[in-house]
Amino acid sequence: MIFALLNLFLLLFIITNALTMPKLSHQSNSLRSIAVHIPMRNEAVNIAELIALLKSQSYSGAYHFYILDDNSTDQTYSLLEKAIDGDKRFTLIAGGEPPSGWIGKTWALQQLFE
């Protein structure tokens, strides 16, 4: 009985959302832009393949890649610079040491969105 009522409630919720939620406009892809944020730490072995893959993406709208080197101890930053090779679709950011109380990827992502 409770399961049936719960299912009925969920069905009514879905129908209400479908009828009342605003619809997305049908803009052409050329009007849309995409920003991709990538935190990296000690990823030297993956740089060449990753950047080649990102460079090969085809999208008719604007897109940009923001890559943060999160205090890598290997050659991640220098390999990123070499692989990006001045491509204007990429922004390379050298991450800083986390402040007291911050850890790992949360600090890296914070820096990407500043």
Side-chain angles (χ1 to χ4, degrees), residues 19-50:
L19 295 174
T20 61
M21 294 296 283
K23 307 296 185 255
L24 295 175
S25 65
H26 296 286
Q27 298 178 4
S28 70
N29 283 343
S30 63
L31 300 177
R32 298 181 185 160
S33 64
I34 296 174
V36 180
H37 296 84
I38 307 169
M40 301 185 82
R41 182 176 175 89
N42 297 331
E43 294 286 346
V45 297
N46 298 313
I47 299 298
E49 183 178 358
L50 171 68

Side-chain angles (χ1 to χ4, degrees), residues 48-90:
E49 183 178 358
L50 171 68
I51 300 301
L53 178 68
L54 294 176
K55 284 183 174 183
S56 72
Q57 297 303 302
S58 61
Y59 176 66
S60 60
Y63 58 98
H64 196 86
F65 303 101
Y66 296 90
I67 302 175
L68 176 104
D69 175 38
D70 188 20
N71 293 309
S72 296
T73 57
D74 62 5
Q75 298 298 311
T76 295
Y77 192 87
S78 60
L79 291 171
L80 281 167
E81 284 182 314
K82 182 179 178 183
I84 290 170
D85 192 32
D87 190 322
K88 299 296 182 198
R89 297 172 294 174
F90 292 84

Side-chain angles (χ1 to χ4, degrees), residues 2 8 15 48 55-56 65 67 84 90-91 93-94 107 113:
I2 292 176
L8 179 60
I15 291 171
K55 284 183 174 183
S56 72
F65 303 101
I67 302 175
I84 290 170
F90 292 84
T91 298
I93 304 163
W107 172 240
F113 289 98

